[in-house]
Amino acid sequence: AVILKMAKGKPFVAIQKKTIDTARTLSEQFIKKGYRVLTHGTDTHQVIIDVASRGADAGLVEKALEKSNIVLNRNLLPGDERNPGATSGIRIGTAAMVARGMGPAEAGIVADLMDRVITHVNRPDVILAVKKEIVLLCRRFPVYKVPV
């Protein structure tokens, strides 16, 4: 009952709206970059992107993005002919971004950084450069607002 009451509250509704708006912006940015986005936008906090359509392996992309401090997961896509270890898609959620205080403006930055890694998945120098930019972005939006 307490959770249902919270879910009806204005702060909760505002966070959910921002989470979906952030996901929509992320989706739009990838579409503009020429990626096939399975959701053609989104009505949820998740965006599913076909990286194989750009010649990339989702498993390699997942690992390279993790090295750059961007955490997501590879995902089988409908009709995917690859095996689960060599999938075509990645799934991105925006709830953690919004929990840090990020929003649609930062989604554009994150899409640019992700695209650099996807495009140069086998370039450690690019992955390291993106990691440095992600660290700077996260410092602007710390998980905790007070020192721990």
Side-chain angles (χ1 to χ4, degrees):
V2 173
I3 297 299
L4 289 175
K5 183 177 180 184
M6 285 175 58
K8 289 182 179 180
K10 287 183 182 179
F12 182 85
V13 171
I15 289 169
Q16 296 311 307
K17 181 180 179 336
K18 185 176 180 182
T19 301
I20 292 170
D21 289 346
T22 302
R24 284 185 179 142
T25 299
L26 192 64
S27 175
E28 290 164 5
Q29 293 302 313
F30 276 103
I31 290 169
K32 285 179 185 176
K33 293 177 183 309
Y35 287 86
R36 185 170 81 97
V37 177
L38 270 65
T39 49
H40 305 288
T42 188
D43 291 328
T44 71
H45 66 287
Q46 296 181 345
V47 178
I48 300 173
I49 299 170
D50 178 359
V51 295
S53 66
R54 298 285 298 267
D57 176 273
L60 294 175
V61 168
E62 176 190 41
K63 289 176 182 146
L65 286 167
E66 186 174 330
K67 288 177 184 174
S68 68
N69 288 348
I70 299 172
V71 179
L72 49 72
N73 65 299
R74 65 182 180 266
N75 215 72
L76 280 172
L77 302 179
D80 206 337
E81 295 180 8
R82 295 172 169 221
N83 67 51
T87 59
S88 299
I90 58 174
R91 181 178 59 180
I92 310 157
T94 57
M97 290 174 60
V98 173
R100 294 184 80 115
M102 295 183 200
E106 291 74 31
I109 295 167
V110 171
D112 289 341
L113 295 171
M114 289 178 66
D115 178 54
R116 281 178 35 204
V117 172
I118 294 166
T119 304
H120 304 288
V121 73
N122 292 312
R123 297 256 320 262
D125 58 322
V126 173
I127 293 167
L128 181 60
V130 168
K131 180 178 183 172
K132 289 177 181 178
E133 290 186 55
I134 289 294
V135 167
L136 292 174
L137 179 63
C138 288
R139 283 186 184 149
R140 289 180 35 218
F141 298 92
V143 174
Y144 300 103
K145 306 290 186 212
V146 294
V148 275

